[in-house]
Amino acid sequence: MTRRRLLQELGEQRIPYLSPADPGFQDLWNSSYAGLTLRLAGNLPNGLHEKVQSALVTLQRCGCLLRDLVRVRDRDVFTTVSRILVGQPGYTYRYLDTRLFTIPWHCDGEGQKDEKPCCDAHLMNACKALWELNEFFCSDVKEQTNTRGVKRTHSDSVNSEDMAGDGMCEESAKDRLAEEKDQDDEDSGQGCSHSSPLPVANPGLVQFNVTLINYMDPTAMTQLKEEPYYGMGKMAVGWHHDENLVPLSPVAVYSYSCPAEPKNEGMAEKEKQSKGKELQKVGEGTSKEVKEAGEASGKEEMEKERSCWRVGLKVAWDIHTPGLALPLQSGDCYYLTDDLNRTHQHCVLAGDTARFSSTHRVVQCCTGTLDYIQKRCSEALENLHRDPGKNIKSLVSLLPSTLQHTEDIHNETTICESEPRLSDLMPGKDDPAQASLKAHSSKPTQVEFEWLRQYWFQGRRYTRFCSWWSKPMEQMENDWKEMERMAHEVLRLTFAECQATPQPGLCTIHFSAEEDTQRNKLEHDNLLNLFRVFALKANEFFLIADRRDKRLKKEEYDLEL
């Protein structure tokens, strides 16, 4: 069910949602949101809060937290939150057509002692503190997963008293342990997250490799959208799944709400006296007045709950299961485990004060690392011969298998869906000549649009804080220029062969002795038309890219926001 259809079906109605003060909150958590685990601030190791919170404030004071330009529903928009990616050196994270480049953890053992530091000592210490938090999350999520697996096994084998429900906060679990009765272990049929046992069977795979740091001050925002389905309040981040993560991998989030500005002592005293008078009136009033006072107290409790930051959860595209709104005190952590990120969506509901979050993830690293793209560049350049004596560069082979190898490598990654690919724009993919053009044009497309351009308008902003990516990207740009020369060489050879064909109407370019002879004889006019199509489509392709670049410059994206 799409968002528009869901809103049409709801009309002016709202789906119910439960908060901790509502009856049935814990039962709903256990039955439909079992993959959610809350870790209260007091359960973290001593001293870790101070380190992490100091690190987050350092990142903000250094100006490292910047808003991203992302693509949402075919529109380029800026995120409401400011962000920075910290993690394994050389890793990237791609979301909403934008690639983020990590600032390294700077943990012990990274880099060589004789290397010049890529950033100042304050930033290095901040990243180290986040690495310590990451190490705690790796071990704690694994422990929580193992414990939950034991509980499930026990619940399946012995039909007796339920143990503390999965995802319950620890204090609430202890209070309810004596009161809870036997419960059916089957899921509710509404996308219950505990129906998938895969992560429980592989607890050793929990190894967060990046954390996305978020910061937002709601008082500085001119307008925040209202949550549309449940009426939960103002949203800092809308409903979403975290994308491009290892399937069924957990997500761990640390929440830090900045202290509110202290009130004027005179104002605080007046509020205290006013509340005292209201309580005195309630004690002397009628039962009706007492009831009205109770309703006012309930509204006050709701306003108090909405003043703090909350995480909202819902079963994806489901209008029958109530949503869940979980308040977060400063220093609280929560885990999204099992298949919760796949079957459910979550949002972040804004509080009254500024807030940081550190969201630790297991991102896909098979194609999104510097090592990967460097190896692919090296493979593509193996077909380029360099003659250092004559300073001449030429193609080693024009065999279709050799040329197509670059295209095969290119297809191993997912490039930006909103940008066209030259290989998709060119007709007749089975012809050897066209295979040569496609193979040499597609690899620069991946390197340019997925890495270089993303770095130029996104990652380059962080070079004033950390220079780790500068040299690798300079080398990648040099590799891209070499691949451009290879593409030009293919065009030059193809055009020259077409012009110098000794037999009228035929081209003598032979791509493979193993291919059928008739297939290797391409008609002269067809090959010239192919060249014209290639040139036309290439021009169209780069015009699209230039338009986006001009839009970025118009928005003054390189300025610190």
Side-chain angles (χ1 to χ4, degrees), residues 10 28 73-74 93 152 220 233 265 296 321 336 368 431 462 492 502:
L10 286 174
L28 176 66
R73 299 189 187 95
D74 298 325
Y93 176 56
R152 287 179 186 163
E265 292 183 5
T321 305
L336 306 180
D431 270 338
Y462 295 94
R492 187 187 67 79

Side-chain angles (χ1 to χ4, degrees), residues 2 20 94 119 153 177 392 397 399 403-405 409 474 527:
T2 63
R94 194 178 187 281
C119 55
T153 304
L177 184 59
I392 296 176
S397 173
L399 291 174
L403 299 173
Q404 190 64 42
H405 178 62
I409 294 174
E474 288 176 7
L527 196 56

